[in-house]
Amino acid sequence: MLITNIGELTTNVPAGDDRSGTLKDAAILIEDGRIAWVGRAAEAPVHPDTVDARGHAVIPGFVDSHSHLIFAGDRADEFEARMTGVPYAAGGIRRTVTATRAASDDDLRARLADHVAEAARQGTTTLEVKTGYGLTVHDEERGARIAAEVTPEVTYLGAHVVPAEYADARDEYVDLVTGPMLRAAAPHAKYIDVFCERGAFTADEARRVLAAGIAAGLIPRMHGNQLGPGEGVQVAVEMGAASVDHCTYLSDEDVAALAGSDTVATLLPGVEFSTRHPYPDARRLIDAGATVAIACDCNPGSCYTNSMPLMVALAVREMRMTPAEAVWAATAGGARALRRDDIGVIAPGKRADLVMLDAPTRVHLAYRPGVPIIERVYKDGIRVA
């Protein structure tokens, strides 16, 4: 298939000072689910299967590198309470744990399928999914197994919070997370994550969890520095984590550590929108040289949205990113957070994961927030939405 008459093409292949690798009047040739050729429309090869983009913009498919979609239940009442001034706390996770444990596999599978389809309609072509609402060996294994049915990007998050039954036996729960629970979930997972935060896990506990995951062949990730200053970023960099997610409260030392490492700072502006916490300072991270991604963190408690276009708009409006930086962070940045080099970029040999906008430029993602401007979505060259 040849997509031609693209008004603005974001390739994410740097060209001089343009990190987005923007091409005007462009075309893309797709063969066997991969990008075969990219260039000016006037120079495109002849192909019998042609799609006319009608001057609209095309970007790489969104890479949502942080979501919690294996869950049951609803916490709309918590959101309503937060809007009246009740602060967000990690303890609400236990409500979802109770509901998830009671749900059947088919219930979890059906809700997951709905969320995956919803994300695809909004341009997401790669989606990471975490466990973390089961917190038993059985429930974490089934969560990872069901997630693996829809994505290879599965994260084992047994260290989400300490469940109520282990409130007085934290060490025993960490032993469970790093032992039998890890062995059950690891065959279905690619990453291991830990919530290093007050009300969740300490820095030393986080080190134990990540070290066990690394020994089991999983790639480390981290929830850190969301609810206040802490050691999460430093532990993530120390352990070679692919990403540390949230990064709302950062010291100068944290910023320097991220800038000097391969650990991606994944920012989740939908959480701040939904909890009324301060937004992360993306400008500070970017100017320091850190790699920044943005993701949705779709979950039933602190951010129940999977709209990557909304994340782009929030990143521009609230986190001082340019539209080009926000789109890069939502595509190539997310790919780096997942340690993938075959997505997030439109170049020969890469996967043909593309989003066509009903707009002449990517700026409209932030310029027209809340408007459904995702026109077409292609995954591996196949139209999925």
Side-chain angles (χ1 to χ4, degrees), residues 171-182:
D171 284 347
E172 289 182 28
Y173 185 67
V174 175
D175 288 342
L176 184 69
V177 168
T178 58
M181 192 183 288
L182 171 61

Side-chain angles (χ1 to χ4, degrees), residues 67-320:
S67 80
H68 302 255
L69 299 182
I70 299 292
F71 72 88
D74 184 89
R75 285 158 62 188
D77 56 333
E78 284 184 27
F79 174 80
E80 185 177 32
R82 283 200 302 275
M83 296 305 101
T84 65
V86 177
Y88 172 75
I93 293 168
R94 295 186 180 92
R95 288 184 62 193
T96 302
V97 170
T98 299
T100 303
R101 288 176 177 178
S104 70
D105 286 14
D106 285 344
D107 289 340
L108 296 177
R109 188 175 285 114
R111 178 169 280 196
L112 174 62
D114 287 345
H115 285 126
V116 170
E118 195 174 67
R121 290 194 297 270
Q122 296 177 90
T124 297
T125 53
T126 300
L127 183 66
E128 182 262 11
V129 177
K130 303 180 191 296
T131 69
Y133 289 126
L135 308 187
T136 67
V137 172
H138 165 73
D139 288 300
E140 287 299 294
E141 185 278 336
R142 73 167 178 156
R145 173 169 40 83
I146 291 170
E149 294 173 4
V150 301
T151 180
E153 309 303 331
V154 178
T155 299
Y156 162 56
L157 182 57
H160 202 180
V161 293
V162 177
E165 63 267 28
Y166 285 92
D168 298 321
R170 293 182 63 89
D171 284 347
E172 289 182 28
Y173 185 67
V174 175
D175 288 342
L176 184 69
V177 168
T178 58
M181 192 183 288
L182 171 61
R183 289 193 292 274
H188 311 292
K190 183 176 178 180
Y191 312 95
I192 187 166
D193 201 341
V194 56
F195 192 11
C196 183
E197 194 70 65
R198 68 174 185 266
F201 293 86
T202 68
D204 285 342
E205 289 168 342
R207 289 186 179 93
R208 282 183 60 192
V209 170
L210 294 186
I214 293 169
L218 301 182
I219 299 170
R221 312 175 69 81
M222 174 78 80
H223 283 60
N225 298 66
Q226 175 190 359
L227 303 178
E231 298 179 73
V233 166
Q234 297 295 330
V235 173
V237 172
E238 170 194 328
M239 301 296 292
S243 70
V244 55
D245 301 10
H246 288 292
C247 295
T248 309
Y249 296 90
L250 299 181
S251 66
D252 290 344
E253 291 75 18
D254 293 333
V255 173
L258 288 165
S261 74
D262 292 328
T263 299
V264 175
T266 301
L267 309 184
L268 310 168
V271 174
E272 282 69 42
F273 179 82
S274 298
T275 62
R276 288 182 170 165
H277 275 228
Y279 285 88
D281 190 346
R283 182 83 271 132
R284 180 184 178 202
L285 285 162
I286 292 169
D287 290 348
T291 300
V292 171
I294 58 175
C296 286
D297 192 11
C298 185
N299 73 84
S302 62
C303 182
Y304 198 9
T305 177
N306 53 21
S307 173
M308 287 296 281
L310 174 60
M311 298 307 111
V312 170
L314 290 174
V316 173
R317 172 62 181 84
E318 303 291 348
M319 299 196 310
R320 300 194 295 157

